[in-house]
Amino acid sequence: MSKKKVVVSLGHDALGYTTGAQKDAVRVTARALADLVEADYQLTITHSNGPQVSMIHKAMTELRRVYTDYTPAPMCVCSAMSQGYVGYDIQNALRGELLGRGISRPVSTILTQVTVDPYDDAFYEPTKVIGRYMAREDAEMEIKKGNYVREYPGKGFRRVVAAPKPIDIVEIEAIRTLAEADQVVIACGGGGIPVIEQQRALKGASAVIEKDSIAGLLAAELGSDELIILTGVECVYRDFGTDRQTPIPSMTLGEVREAVAEGRFEAGTMLPKMEAAVTYLEKVPGGRVLITSMARVKDALMGRAGTVITV
């Protein structure tokens, strides 16, 4: 019997928000991932990078302010840096956890580019806030460079970038080859490095891609048996955050589409996960989506927690 192919999407809680916190967090994350490997799942892992890419962007911007001969790092380069160092921590923690259980399994991180449409509406209405608070004069310089900023009264200004929809995963065949060789693969970190195709060249875009969006596309492209989205809550809730909040143990694809159309899920939290489920299940109708927390993933695999979405 062949192994079950699973894409696992890790949220912020699985990684922490600083370099030190990340090292501690990935040790816990590695145990949950190793449980899946031990249960004979073939894993392809993707992850968020919001705090990490923002930290890198701040650092590179401050470097340019102190040493004026340095060139500021564009968003695509910051994204690539975050993929490298987050992947490094995950693969080392997971490798160590697996070896401690007597499992010898290669764990690899692939620097992944993802194409986006330069005419995506997101470029005209950026929503993702990154970087440090700036004074008005710094904000005006960003605006002159063609960048967007948002004012926070009493605090200053922060840069805002687009979050376009992913189109194609450039390194998908490399990811597929390693996955089919039964390696654990870490790919499309932080949504992937957003690039725009220009003839034969790929040009980095000033944007970030929603990590849940890429998780749905990655699972669809790999034809995975399951998409597991690990987040900060143990399941999807009806009327979340109210005194009427109730868990939803299962949903159909049709129910998800209806709920999304009616605006029942909050943008930036549960909505992208629902959209990822739709992307995946439309291409892999025999698949299964599981949404749960890191702490409850083991119970969720046995049907005791989480929300399952199927066609």
Side-chain angles (χ1 to χ4, degrees), residues 32-218:
L33 295 172
D35 286 343
L36 294 172
V37 174
E38 204 164 36
D40 220 23
Y41 287 83
Q42 188 285 313
L43 299 188
T44 300
I45 302 163
T46 189
H47 58 81
S48 66
N49 77 337
Q52 291 81 6
V53 77
S54 187
M55 177 183 67
I56 291 168
H57 183 268
K58 288 178 187 177
M60 300 306 291
T61 300
E62 288 304 306
L63 180 66
R64 174 66 175 85
R65 285 165 58 86
V66 176
Y67 300 101
T68 56
D69 54 333
Y70 276 79
T71 303
M75 276 304 302
C76 54
V77 172
C78 295
S79 179
M81 289 179 177
S82 72
Q83 277 195 16
Y85 104 81
V86 175
Y88 163 75
D89 274 352
I90 295 174
Q91 71 181 41
N92 282 352
L94 181 52
R95 177 180 179 273
E97 181 67 28
L98 290 173
L99 288 174
R101 301 185 188 197
I103 301 170
S104 179
R105 186 71 49 80
V107 184
S108 304
T109 299
I110 294 182
L111 202 63
T112 315
Q113 302 172 95
V114 176
T115 60
V116 297
D117 183 353
Y119 301 107
D120 191 304
D121 288 344
F123 284 108
Y124 304 99
E125 295 183 14
T127 58
K128 292 289 185 179
V129 180
I130 63 158
R132 63 183 178 88
Y133 286 102
M134 299 177 283
R136 183 175 296 276
E137 53 269 29
D138 292 331
E140 289 172 351
M141 287 179 62
E142 290 293 330
I143 293 170
K144 286 179 182 178
K145 289 188 289 186
N147 296 325
Y148 290 81
V149 298
R150 181 181 296 170
E151 183 175 5
Y152 290 82
K155 294 183 177 180
F157 299 80
R158 294 184 72 185
R159 189 169 165 199
V160 186
V161 298
K165 297 292 185 185
I167 298 174
D168 290 312
I169 299 169
V170 177
E171 287 76 23
I172 189 64
E173 290 307 321
I175 298 167
R176 195 190 318 277
T177 298
L178 290 175
E180 289 177 351
D182 198 26
Q183 296 197 26
V184 178
V185 189
I186 303 164
C188 299
I193 304 164
V195 294
I196 294 170
E197 289 187 284
Q198 294 184 337
Q199 297 181 336
R200 292 187 297 274
L202 295 172
K203 180 182 178 181
S206 182
V208 294
I209 297 170
E210 170 61 55
K211 62 97 179 170
D212 291 316
S213 295
I214 203 61
L217 180 61
L218 180 60

Side-chain angles (χ1 to χ4, degrees), residues 5 13 17 46 50 77 88 99 153 182 212 226 229-230 254 266 268 276 278 302:
K5 297 184 296 181
D13 291 347
Y17 291 81
T46 189
V77 172
Y88 163 75
L99 288 174
D182 198 26
D212 291 316
E226 191 163 350
I229 299 176
L230 299 181
E266 184 179 358
V278 172
M302 293 183 283

